Coordinates of all heavy atoms in Angstrom, one line a residue:
M1 N 10.4 -13.0 -1.6 CA 10.2 -11.7 -1.0 C 9.3 -11.8 0.2 O 8.4 -12.6 0.2 CB 9.4 -10.7 -2.0 CG 9.2 -9.4 -1.5 SD 8.4 -8.3 -2.7 CE 6.8 -9.1 -2.9
I2 N 9.6 -11.0 1.2 CA 8.8 -11.1 2.4 C 7.7 -9.9 2.4 O 8.0 -8.8 2.1 CB 9.7 -10.9 3.6 CG1 10.4 -12.3 3.8 CG2 8.9 -10.7 4.9 CD1 11.5 -12.3 4.6
I3 N 6.5 -10.4 2.7 CA 5.3 -9.5 2.7 C 4.8 -9.4 4.1 O 4.5 -10.4 4.8 CB 4.2 -9.9 1.7 CG1 4.8 -10.0 0.3 CG2 3.0 -9.0 1.8 CD1 3.8 -10.5 -0.8
L4 N 4.6 -8.2 4.6 CA 4.0 -8.0 5.9 C 2.6 -7.6 5.7 O 2.3 -6.6 5.0 CB 4.8 -6.9 6.7 CG 4.6 -6.8 8.2 CD1 5.1 -8.0 8.8 CD2 5.4 -5.5 8.7
G5 N 1.6 -8.4 6.2 CA 0.2 -8.2 6.0 C -0.6 -7.7 7.2 O -0.3 -8.1 8.3
F6 N -1.6 -6.9 6.9 CA -2.4 -6.3 8.1 C -3.9 -6.5 7.8 O -4.4 -6.2 6.7 CB -2.1 -4.8 8.2 CG -0.7 -4.5 8.4 CD1 0.1 -4.2 7.3 CD2 -0.2 -4.5 9.7 CE1 1.5 -3.9 7.6 CE2 1.1 -4.2 9.9 CZ 2.0 -3.9 8.9
V55 N -1.9 -2.3 16.5 CA -1.1 -2.7 15.2 C 0.4 -2.6 15.3 O 1.1 -3.5 14.9 CB -1.7 -1.8 14.1 CG1 -1.4 -0.4 14.1 CG2 -1.2 -2.4 12.7
L56 N 0.9 -1.6 16.1 CA 2.3 -1.5 16.2 C 3.0 -2.6 17.1 O 3.9 -3.3 16.6 CB 2.7 -0.1 16.7 CG 4.2 0.3 16.7 CD1 4.8 0.1 15.3 CD2 4.4 1.7 17.1
S59 N 2.9 -5.8 15.1 CA 3.9 -5.8 14.0 C 5.3 -6.1 14.6 O 6.0 -7.0 14.0 CB 4.0 -4.4 13.4 OG 2.7 -4.1 12.9
L63 N 7.6 -9.5 13.6 CA 9.0 -9.4 13.1 C 9.9 -10.1 14.0 O 10.8 -10.9 13.5 CB 9.4 -7.9 13.0 CG 8.7 -7.1 11.9 CD1 9.0 -5.6 11.9 CD2 9.0 -7.7 10.5
L70 N 12.7 -4.7 9.8 CA 11.9 -4.0 8.8 C 12.6 -3.9 7.4 O 12.0 -3.9 6.4 CB 11.6 -2.5 9.2 CG 10.3 -2.3 9.9 CD1 10.1 -0.8 10.1 CD2 9.1 -2.8 9.1
R71 N 13.9 -3.9 7.5 CA 14.7 -3.9 6.2 C 14.5 -5.1 5.3 O 14.7 -5.1 4.1 CB 16.2 -3.7 6.5 CG 16.7 -2.3 6.6 CD 18.2 -2.2 6.7 NE 18.6 -2.9 8.0 CZ 18.6 -2.3 9.2 NH1 18.2 -1.1 9.3 NH2 19.0 -2.9 10.3
D72 N 14.1 -6.3 6.0 CA 13.9 -7.5 5.2 C 12.5 -7.5 4.5 O 12.3 -8.4 3.6 CB 13.9 -8.7 6.2 CG 15.2 -8.8 6.9 OD1 16.2 -8.6 6.3 OD2 15.1 -9.0 8.1
V73 N 11.6 -6.5 4.8 CA 10.3 -6.6 4.2 C 10.3 -6.0 2.8 O 10.7 -4.8 2.7 CB 9.3 -5.8 5.2 CG1 7.9 -5.8 4.6 CG2 9.2 -6.5 6.6
G74 N 9.8 -6.7 1.9 CA 9.8 -6.3 0.5 C 8.5 -5.6 0.0 O 8.5 -4.9 -1.0
A75 N 7.4 -5.8 0.7 CA 6.2 -5.2 0.4 C 5.2 -5.4 1.6 O 5.4 -6.2 2.4 CB 5.5 -6.0 -0.8
V76 N 4.2 -4.5 1.6 CA 3.2 -4.6 2.7 C 1.9 -4.9 2.0 O 1.7 -4.6 0.8 CB 3.1 -3.4 3.6 CG1 4.3 -3.1 4.4 CG2 2.6 -2.2 2.8
A77 N 1.0 -5.6 2.7 CA -0.4 -5.8 2.2 C -1.4 -5.4 3.3 O -1.1 -5.5 4.4 CB -0.5 -7.3 1.9
Y78 N -2.6 -5.0 2.9 CA -3.6 -4.6 3.9 C -4.9 -4.9 3.3 O -5.2 -4.9 2.1 CB -3.4 -3.1 4.2 CG -3.7 -2.2 3.1 CD1 -4.9 -1.6 2.8 CD2 -2.6 -1.9 2.2 CE1 -5.1 -0.7 1.7 CE2 -2.8 -1.0 1.1 CZ -4.0 -0.5 0.9 OH -4.2 0.3 -0.2
V90 N -7.5 2.3 9.5 CA -6.4 2.2 10.4 C -5.3 1.2 9.8 O -4.1 1.7 9.7 CB -6.8 1.6 11.8 CG1 -5.6 1.4 12.7 CG2 -7.8 2.5 12.5
G91 N -5.7 0.1 9.4 CA -4.8 -0.9 8.8 C -4.2 -0.2 7.5 O -3.0 -0.4 7.3
A92 N -5.1 0.4 6.7 CA -4.6 0.9 5.4 C -3.6 2.0 5.6 O -2.5 2.1 5.0 CB -5.8 1.4 4.6
S93 N -3.8 2.9 6.5 CA -3.0 4.1 6.7 C -1.7 3.6 7.3 O -0.6 4.1 7.0 CB -3.6 5.2 7.6 OG -4.1 4.7 8.8
F94 N -1.7 2.7 8.3 CA -0.5 2.1 8.9 C 0.4 1.5 7.8 O 1.6 1.7 7.7 CB -0.9 1.1 10.0 CG 0.3 0.7 10.7 CD1 0.8 1.4 11.8 CD2 1.0 -0.5 10.4 CE1 2.0 1.0 12.5 CE2 2.1 -1.0 11.2 CZ 2.6 -0.2 12.2
A95 N -0.3 0.6 7.0 CA 0.5 -0.2 6.0 C 1.1 0.8 4.9 O 2.2 0.7 4.6 CB -0.4 -1.2 5.3
C96 N 0.3 1.8 4.5 CA 0.7 2.7 3.4 C 1.8 3.6 3.9 O 2.7 3.9 3.2 CB -0.5 3.4 2.8 SG -1.5 2.2 1.9
S97 N 1.7 4.0 5.2 CA 2.8 4.9 5.8 C 4.1 4.1 5.8 O 5.2 4.6 5.5 CB 2.4 5.3 7.2 OG 1.1 5.8 7.3
L98 N 4.0 2.9 6.2 CA 5.2 2.0 6.3 C 5.8 1.8 5.0 O 7.0 1.9 4.8 CB 4.8 0.7 6.9 CG 5.9 -0.3 7.3 CD1 6.9 0.3 8.3 CD2 5.2 -1.6 7.9
A99 N 4.9 1.6 4.0 CA 5.4 1.4 2.6 C 6.1 2.6 2.1 O 7.2 2.6 1.4 CB 4.3 1.0 1.7
W100 N 5.5 3.8 2.4 CA 6.0 5.0 1.9 C 7.4 5.3 2.6 O 8.4 5.7 1.9 CB 5.1 6.2 2.2 CG 5.6 7.5 1.9 CD1 5.9 8.1 0.7 CD2 6.1 8.5 2.9 NE1 6.4 9.3 0.8 CE2 6.5 9.6 2.2 CE3 6.1 8.6 4.3 CZ2 7.0 10.8 2.8 CZ3 6.5 9.7 4.9 CH2 7.0 10.8 4.1
A101 N 7.5 5.0 3.9 CA 8.7 5.3 4.6 C 9.8 4.4 4.1 O 11.0 4.8 4.1 CB 8.5 5.1 6.1
R102 N 9.5 3.2 3.8 CA 10.5 2.2 3.3 C 10.7 2.3 1.8 O 11.6 1.5 1.3 CB 10.1 0.8 3.8 CG 10.0 0.6 5.2 CD 11.3 0.3 6.0 NE 12.1 -0.6 5.3 CZ 13.4 -0.4 4.9 NH1 14.0 0.7 5.2 NH2 14.1 -1.3 4.2
G103 N 9.9 2.9 1.1 CA 10.0 2.9 -0.3 C 9.6 1.6 -1.0 O 10.3 1.2 -2.0
I104 N 8.7 0.9 -0.4 CA 8.3 -0.4 -0.9 C 6.8 -0.4 -1.3 O 6.1 0.5 -0.9 CB 8.5 -1.6 0.2 CG1 7.8 -1.2 1.5 CG2 10.0 -1.8 0.4 CD1 7.9 -2.3 2.5
P105 N 6.4 -1.4 -2.1 CA 5.0 -1.3 -2.6 C 4.0 -1.7 -1.5 O 4.3 -2.5 -0.6 CB 4.9 -2.4 -3.7 CG 6.2 -3.1 -3.7 CD 7.2 -2.4 -2.8
A106 N 2.8 -1.2 -1.6 CA 1.6 -1.6 -0.7 C 0.6 -2.2 -1.6 O 0.2 -1.7 -2.6 CB 1.1 -0.3 0.0
I107 N 0.1 -3.4 -1.1 CA -0.8 -4.2 -1.9 C -2.2 -4.2 -1.3 O -2.3 -4.8 -0.2 CB -0.3 -5.6 -2.2 CG1 1.1 -5.6 -2.7 CG2 -1.2 -6.4 -3.0 CD1 1.8 -7.0 -2.8
P108 N -3.2 -3.6 -1.9 CA -4.5 -3.7 -1.3 C -5.2 -5.1 -1.5 O -5.0 -5.6 -2.6 CB -5.3 -2.6 -2.0 CG -4.6 -2.4 -3.3 CD -3.2 -2.9 -3.1
D323 N 1.5 -5.6 -10.0 CA 2.6 -4.9 -10.6 C 3.3 -4.1 -9.5 O 2.9 -3.0 -9.1 CB 2.1 -3.9 -11.7 CG 3.3 -3.2 -12.4 OD1 4.4 -3.2 -11.8 OD2 3.1 -2.8 -13.6
L324 N 4.4 -4.7 -8.9 CA 5.0 -4.2 -7.7 C 5.7 -2.9 -8.0 O 5.7 -2.0 -7.2 CB 5.9 -5.2 -7.1 CG 5.3 -6.4 -6.5 CD1 6.3 -7.4 -6.0 CD2 4.3 -6.0 -5.4
G325 N 6.3 -2.8 -9.2 CA 7.0 -1.6 -9.6 C 6.0 -0.4 -9.6 O 6.3 0.6 -9.0
Q326 N 4.9 -0.7 -10.2 CA 3.9 0.4 -10.3 C 3.3 0.8 -8.9 O 3.2 1.9 -8.6 CB 2.7 0.0 -11.2 CG 1.8 1.1 -11.6 CD 0.5 0.5 -12.2 OE1 0.1 -0.5 -11.9 NE2 0.0 1.3 -13.1
A327 N 3.2 -0.3 -8.1 CA 2.6 0.0 -6.7 C 3.6 0.8 -5.9 O 3.2 1.7 -5.2 CB 2.4 -1.3 -6.0
A328 N 4.9 0.5 -6.1 CA 5.9 1.3 -5.3 C 6.0 2.7 -5.8 O 6.3 3.7 -5.1 CB 7.3 0.6 -5.5
Q329 N 5.7 3.0 -7.1 CA 5.8 4.3 -7.7 C 4.5 5.1 -7.5 O 4.5 6.3 -7.6 CB 5.9 4.2 -9.3 CG 7.2 3.5 -9.7 CD 8.4 4.3 -9.3 OE1 8.5 5.5 -9.4 NE2 9.4 3.6 -8.7
A330 N 3.4 4.4 -7.1 CA 2.1 5.0 -7.0 C 2.2 6.2 -6.0 O 3.1 6.2 -5.1 CB 1.1 4.0 -6.6
G331 N 1.3 7.2 -6.1 CA 1.4 8.2 -5.1 C 1.2 7.7 -3.7 O 1.1 6.6 -3.5
H332 N 1.1 8.6 -2.7 CA 1.1 8.3 -1.3 C -0.4 8.2 -0.8 O -0.6 7.9 0.3 CB 1.9 9.2 -0.4 CG 3.3 9.3 -0.9 ND1 4.0 10.4 -1.0 CD2 4.1 8.3 -1.4 CE1 5.2 10.1 -1.5 NE2 5.3 8.9 -1.7
G333 N -1.3 8.4 -1.7 CA -2.7 8.4 -1.4 C -3.2 6.9 -1.3 O -2.5 6.0 -1.8
F334 N -4.2 6.7 -0.6 CA -4.8 5.3 -0.6 C -6.3 5.5 -0.2 O -6.7 6.6 0.2 CB -4.1 4.5 0.5 CG -4.3 5.0 1.9 CD1 -5.3 4.7 2.7 CD2 -3.3 5.9 2.4 CE1 -5.5 5.2 4.0 CE2 -3.4 6.4 3.7 CZ -4.5 6.1 4.5
R350 N -9.7 1.4 -5.7 CA -10.0 2.7 -5.9 C -11.3 3.0 -6.6 O -11.8 2.1 -7.2 CB -8.8 3.3 -6.8 CG -7.7 3.8 -5.9 CD -6.4 3.7 -6.6 NE -5.4 3.1 -5.7 CZ -4.7 3.7 -4.7 NH1 -5.0 4.9 -4.5 NH2 -3.9 3.0 -4.0

Side-chain angles (χ1 to χ4, degrees):
M1 184 178 65
I2 287 166
I3 301 178
L4 198 59
F6 302 93
V55 67
L56 188 55
S59 304
L63 289 174
L70 265 186
R71 270 186 298 277
D72 302 316
V73 177
V76 298
Y78 60 96
V90 176
S93 54
F94 186 83
C96 292
S97 311
L98 186 59
W100 175 69
R102 299 277 316 127
I104 57 177
I107 305 171
D323 187 337
L324 293 177
Q326 195 193 29
Q329 298 296 313
H332 304 136
F334 60 89
R350 271 152 231 278

